[in-house]
Amino acid sequence: MVRKYKIAVLPGDGIGREVIPEAVKVMNEAASVITGLNLETHEFECGGQYYLKNDREWSEEAETFTKNEADASLLGAIGALDSSGNVVRLPDGNLAGYSVVIGLRRELELYANVRPVKLYEGVPTPLANKSPSDINIVIVRENTEGLYYPARGRISEQDKNLAFDLRIITAKGSERVARYAFELAMKREGAPVDGTKRVTCVDKSNILSGCKLFRESFDKVGSEFKDISKDYAYVDAWTLFALRKPEFYDVVVAPNAFGDIISDLGGAIQGGLGVAPSGNIGETQAMFEPVHGSAPDIAGTGQANPIAAILSVAMMLEWLGFRANDQDPIEAAKLIRKSVEDVLREGQIRTADLCLGSWEKVKPATTTEVTEAIINRM
Ligand code: NAI
Ligand code: MG
């Protein structure tokens, strides 16, 4: 029986509205090549631009479908500017669209924020003497608690000079994200340097209580995975190690805020935000999105690199396939990645963000031209 997958498509704001339609084209092309794959996409507006017109962040229909009916969702980015160039905010000060991106992560308990840091051939990295065979890490960031959980404020309205951010870390939250990291490492080929399957716990457990609990939880779960090497680094030191010897790292797991910071470092060494995909993954639901934001500086110019969104679609199809034990979406994901790899390696059709270093003289292509090249490959 052919299984049908329902996908909520949420382009959002800025370049989200440019790259998501391109990623959907690529996804539909994959579904037409892999005949057993049946995808049903439901597209909805959301974010700051929607809020300006409708006084809410998304429609009730969009929210209900995404939370209760979709097998997975694909989000572009949120973050709009109003006509005076100010960021569109809710009355509480949060970005308009906050409840879509942060709300989905929390309400659906999408506890693992998965960010592959892979350097593709043909992509310039700022690291000297490092090549694609050195950089293939997956950062798994805890996504539902920690410093970004809203327990923050000012001590009182009178005392505006004292602010606090309370960080809550639980054993449950830490163990489930650690388990995700170890299970992921089981499926991978190991670290580039030695082929060893390795999970590195990145924290600040020499000082912080929450990090001590995070590391204890990592050890507890890790003891079940005898074939995986356990590794530890304090977050400040890890930033240095990752630049010097990225080839040592396979899977890295970290509490929320530290995971956020180190994954931007990951984004830089893999060639920038234009090629950085991500997934927010829970027990039964998941949402996929490029790491980048709405990029108002280039929105509407056709310069946005669609590859981060396209690789996010590949992650989504792979997740759907593993979850349903269905080979078709997994094959579609492979086809998409292979086509992206080919276009990047050949090097001639790329957006301006990748026209650096050895590719400095390449004439930048538009968002659509890059998609067309990928689709032609498929
Ligand atoms: P950004 O990721 O939108 O842009 C940072 C820089 O990278 C810009 O110079 C941009 O032009 C470039 N860039 C980003 N994606 C690119 C792509 N696909 N191709 C080529 N160049 C690309 O981050 P920024 O400027 O800090 O934030 C802009 C807005 O997006 C803000 O409102 C922010 O709050 C929001 N944002 C939303 C996120 C989300 O929806 N998950 C994540 C990050 C930021
Ligand atoms: Mg970030």
Side-chain angles (χ1 to χ4, degrees), residues 15 19 75-80 87 95 101 105 273-274 289-298 303-306 353:
I15 63 164
V19 296
L75 176 70
I78 61 137
V87 175
L95 208 62
V101 51
R105 288 176 182 174
L273 290 172
E289 53 176 337
V291 172
H292 62 75
S294 57
D297 56 338
I298 58 164
Q303 294 178 71
N305 191 340
D353 57 318

Side-chain angles (χ1 to χ4, degrees), residues 142 145 167 169-179 182 199-223 230-238 241 253-255 258:
E142 202 294 318
E145 52 184 39
R167 189 175 74 146
I169 288 192
T170 66
K172 179 185 169 212
S174 307
E175 282 174 25
R176 66 185 180 181
V177 76
R179 184 170 302 282
F182 281 104
V199 183
T200 304
C201 180
V202 172
D203 60 42
K204 194 73 185 168
S205 57
N206 49 341
I207 300 182
L208 300 171
S209 302
C211 284
K212 284 193 187 111
L213 178 58
F214 191 83
R215 193 178 278 208
E216 281 163 29
S217 307
F218 173 88
D219 282 332
K220 182 175 165 199
V221 173
S223 66
K230 281 115 215 156
D231 177 53
Y232 307 86
Y234 298 131
V235 60
D236 41 357
W238 190 80
F241 300 151
V253 64
F258 293 155

Side-chain angles (χ1 to χ4, degrees), residues 128-315:
N129 309 319
K130 297 294 175 194
S131 67
S133 61
D134 297 311
I135 302 178
N136 189 351
I137 307 171
V138 179
I139 296 176
V140 181
R141 157 191 172 194
E142 202 294 318
N143 214 19
T144 51
E145 52 184 39
L147 202 52
Y148 297 161
Y149 191 84
R152 59 174 86 105
R154 299 282 168 100
I155 288 291
S156 75
E157 275 308 296
Q158 286 72 38
D159 190 356
K160 299 254 183 225
N161 297 317
L162 198 159
F164 65 93
D165 300 283
L166 181 64
R167 189 175 74 146
I168 291 170
I169 288 192
T170 66
K172 179 185 169 212
S174 307
E175 282 174 25
R176 66 185 180 181
V177 76
R179 184 170 302 282
Y180 186 93
F182 281 104
E183 283 173 356
L184 176 65
M186 293 290 288
K187 290 190 221 148
R188 283 170 49 88
E189 311 281 292
V193 73
D194 55 6
T196 298
K197 292 181 192 288
R198 177 176 292 117
V199 183
T200 304
C201 180
V202 172
D203 60 42
K204 194 73 185 168
S205 57
N206 49 341
I207 300 182
L208 300 171
S209 302
C211 284
K212 284 193 187 111
L213 178 58
F214 191 83
R215 193 178 278 208
E216 281 163 29
S217 307
F218 173 88
D219 282 332
K220 182 175 165 199
V221 173
S223 66
E224 295 170 32
F225 294 83
K226 305 280 180 226
D227 297 337
I228 294 185
S229 162
K230 281 115 215 156
D231 177 53
Y232 307 86
Y234 298 131
V235 60
D236 41 357
W238 190 80
T239 58
L240 181 145
F241 300 151
L243 295 188
R244 288 202 176 145
K245 45 161 193 170
E247 62 277 12
F248 182 75
Y249 296 103
D250 176 11
V251 176
V252 167
V253 64
N256 199 339
F258 293 155
D260 188 17
I261 296 166
I262 65 171
S263 48
D264 272 29
L265 183 139
I269 67 176
Q270 78 189 120
L273 290 172
V275 292
S278 78
N280 300 273
I281 297 176
E283 280 325 326
T284 57
Q285 279 168 297
M287 183 255 283
F288 296 82
E289 53 176 337
V291 172
H292 62 75
S294 57
D297 56 338
I298 58 164
T301 66
Q303 294 178 71
N305 191 340
I307 289 179
I310 291 168
L311 291 173
S312 302
V313 162
M315 284 180 80

Side-chain angles (χ1 to χ4, degrees), residues 92-107:
D92 67 5
N94 278 322
L95 208 62
Y98 178 90
S99 47
V100 180
V101 51
I102 308 290
L104 276 178
R105 288 176 182 174
R106 188 163 304 131
E107 276 177 53

